Amino acid sequence: MKRRNKVLAMSLAAAVAATGLAGCGGSGGSNGSGDPNAPLTVAIWDGGQQAGLQEILDAFTESTGIKTQLQVIEWNSYWTLLEAGASGGDMPDVFWMHSNEAVKYMSNGILLDITDKVAASTVLELEKFPEDLKAMYQWEGKTYALPKDMDTIAVWYNKTLFDEAGIPYPDGSWTWDEFYEIAQKLTKDDGSVYGFAANPSNEQDTWMNIVYTMGGCVLNDQGMSGFDDPKTIAAMEFIDQMVHTVMPPASTMSETGTDVLFGSGKVAMISQGSWMVAGFKDNEYIAANADVARLPKDAATGRSISLYNGLGWAASAGTKNPEGAYQLIEWFATKDMQQKQAELGVTMAAYEGVSDQWVNNTDKFDLSPYLEAMDDVVFRPATKSTLAWWNPMVEELKKPWNGEEDMATACANITAIMNEKIAEEN
């Protein structure tokens, strides 16, 4: 990972030099230069949001006359193509930015600096967005993206399987210990149904919530690894117990995916982010059999903690239409368009108070637990080079998931990996 991150940083820096954008980190083309009528390519990675976002883009074109072309690119390919575009000078004009990648792109001058435009805006209400989310897309006093959305985590459960087992539906009152007991009852000896499912890569949407709810942490107050915290280790050992008693084999989950297992009736419960709702409501089986509950609580504190994150709308510093690109970013961040995003069921809005409309976008599920989760949230852990330690962390966790290593050893190894990588970036 060290070599890959250095190569990426070098390639991004090279892109700045090769495309003559060395000054873009300061001005970012936000002075309105370029062709204000040039069409804008817009890139995202979630096809479930395509229809709603297209409607918002159509309204933007009607209002401004600027044409847009929406491209949906699969998650892994998205970052590969974005990196290649940065190196080759052929990036989309406007695109989603993620907390995993934000610092890399901001610090290398690849994103349009929108600081002055945001400061001069008469339509933005930035005080209505979460501070952590705004700060994620700022670098050295400059702003490079505006919040698109925010997400929380909730439990999805199969009502049919609960009914067959004679178990009352979850109502948000359970502790994690009670959750585990129910998952045991729902797990069938013949392997036809399991109580729960989670992969090591289901971090924000599954096991990290348990860690924080039980008093542990992924990053401590000093910004170093929290995997040597006794409470973190205890939470991870609790998760390990569930992995080996109420979940499908790790190989099955990695090959099929927990959402697919849930959507085929093989798993009674999963925890998932609000970003999955658009896809779940279009799944006939899930729509007919599932509903949503708040994440369980810690028995000692009574807290139910959900991690939250949010995407940002960013633009390429090399866009031919910097003025139009900023207008589109601003358009998405206005109260009206944040509310429209919620009403269309695209996903929860980042703007305070409008996600009530998102809850009401479908009558197939009770989505209120996602809003209730906002009562006690922790921002998704991130550092300057998150993926430098995040990916090795996930790889190390595959070992206890596969029965190749005990969880305490994995936590010790993750601590060493994280602290080395974080020390390097500092």
Side-chain angles (χ1 to χ4, degrees):
M1 282 303 298
K2 183 192 302 183
R3 174 171 172 76
R4 183 185 182 281
N5 283 314
K6 286 183 177 178
V7 170
L8 174 57
M10 291 171 64
S11 69
L12 293 179
V16 173
T19 56
L21 298 176
C24 291
S27 66
S30 59
N31 57 5
S33 60
D35 180 0
N37 297 313
L40 300 170
T41 54
V42 181
I44 65 173
W45 61 70
D46 185 355
Q49 299 189 32
Q50 181 177 7
L53 290 178
Q54 185 63 62
E55 189 167 332
I56 294 173
L57 288 170
D58 290 344
F60 173 77
T61 298
E62 184 178 349
S63 175
T64 64
I66 301 173
K67 296 180 180 180
T68 65
Q69 180 182 5
L70 182 60
Q71 305 169 340
V72 182
I73 306 168
E74 189 269 338
W75 166 262
N76 290 325
S77 299
Y78 183 93
W79 297 107
T80 301
L81 292 173
L82 207 61
E83 181 179 334
S87 300
D90 187 23
M91 294 180 74
D93 295 290
V94 176
F95 45 89
W96 285 350
M97 184 48 56
H98 191 280
S99 56
N100 279 352
E101 303 280 356
V103 173
K104 291 179 188 176
Y105 284 84
M106 292 188 295
S107 63
N108 282 283
I110 299 301
L111 304 185
L112 184 70
D113 175 4
I114 60 174
T115 309
D116 294 342
K117 290 290 188 181
V118 169
S121 175
T122 59
V123 297
L124 293 175
E125 299 172 273
L126 293 182
E127 71 278 4
K128 295 293 186 179
F129 294 93
E131 291 298 327
D132 287 331
L133 188 51
K134 287 185 290 186
M136 177 53 63
Y137 300 110
Q138 296 170 345
W139 177 253
E140 295 185 343
K142 302 288 187 178
T143 299
Y144 293 93
L146 291 177
K148 171 195 174 290
D149 55 32
M150 70 171 291
D151 47 56
T152 57
I153 313 300
V155 171
W156 286 77
Y157 61 94
N158 187 313
K159 294 182 293 184
T160 301
L161 295 178
F162 270 75
D163 291 342
E164 290 175 355
I167 298 173
Y169 301 151
D171 59 5
S173 66
W174 291 358
T175 64
W176 276 110
D177 290 330
E178 290 170 330
F179 177 94
Y180 176 48
E181 292 172 3
I182 296 300
Q184 287 179 299
K185 294 178 181 178
L186 290 162
T187 300
K188 296 185 178 181
D189 294 337
D190 62 3
S192 59
V193 175
Y194 291 88
F196 189 45
N199 275 309
S201 58
N202 295 134
E203 338 87 356
Q204 181 193 348
D205 47 314
T206 300
W207 58 265
M208 281 189 180
N209 301 283
I210 301 174
V211 167
Y212 279 92
T213 296
M214 292 187 173
C217 60
V218 173
L219 292 173
N220 60 28
D221 292 340
Q222 290 72 48
M224 304 302 286
S225 177
F227 277 85
D228 57 351
D229 185 316
K231 292 184 177 179
T232 302
I233 297 170
M236 293 305 298
E237 289 181 334
F238 171 79
I239 294 161
D240 189 57
Q241 187 178 32
M242 289 201 292
V243 167
H244 297 294
T245 57
V246 301
M247 297 193 198
S251 58
T252 300
M253 292 188 290
S254 63
E255 291 171 1
T256 308
T258 59
D259 57 327
V260 177
L261 291 169
F262 182 72
S264 59
K266 302 297 184 182
V267 172
M269 293 182 289
I270 57 172
S271 55
Q272 274 291 353
S274 49
W275 60 84
M276 294 296 291
V277 172
F280 280 178
K281 69 182 182 182
D282 291 333
N283 182 297
E284 290 185 11
Y285 182 86
I286 293 177
N289 292 279
D291 213 340
V292 188
R294 189 166 177 178
L295 289 171
K297 301 178 292 187
D298 178 67
T301 66
R303 294 182 68 184
S304 170
I305 295 177
S306 167
L307 266 68
Y308 85 97
N309 193 31
L311 306 183
W313 282 109
S316 167
T319 176
K320 295 178 180 178
N321 187 354
E323 183 68 28
Y326 172 74
Q327 287 183 56
L328 181 55
I329 291 172
E330 183 183 66
W331 178 267
F332 277 120
T334 61
K335 179 181 180 180
D336 286 348
M337 291 305 115
Q338 286 277 300
Q339 183 165 323
K340 190 175 185 66
Q341 172 179 263
E343 290 172 347
L344 292 171
V346 174
T347 189
M348 288 173 63
Y351 188 100
E352 180 185 335
V354 303
S355 284
D356 289 344
Q357 305 299 320
W358 175 78
V359 168
N360 297 325
N361 84 85
T362 179
D363 59 2
K364 296 178 180 178
F365 317 112
D366 175 12
L367 300 179
S368 60
Y370 281 111
L371 286 193
E372 294 166 3
M374 293 171 64
D375 294 342
D376 199 350
V377 292
V378 169
F379 193 67
R380 185 178 185 270
T383 61
K384 294 178 183 176
S385 300
T386 303
L387 291 182
W389 56 264
W390 192 284
N391 288 339
M393 171 191 70
V394 171
E395 288 302 308
E396 184 66 28
L397 284 175
K398 290 180 181 179
K399 297 175 183 178
W401 247 266
N402 285 308
E404 301 168 2
E405 182 177 87
D406 66 83
M407 183 59 79
T409 299
C411 288
N413 291 339
I414 291 170
T415 299
I417 292 168
M418 288 180 65
N419 286 342
E420 177 187 356
K421 298 299 183 183
I422 294 171
E424 288 176 1
E425 70 183 42
N426 289 334

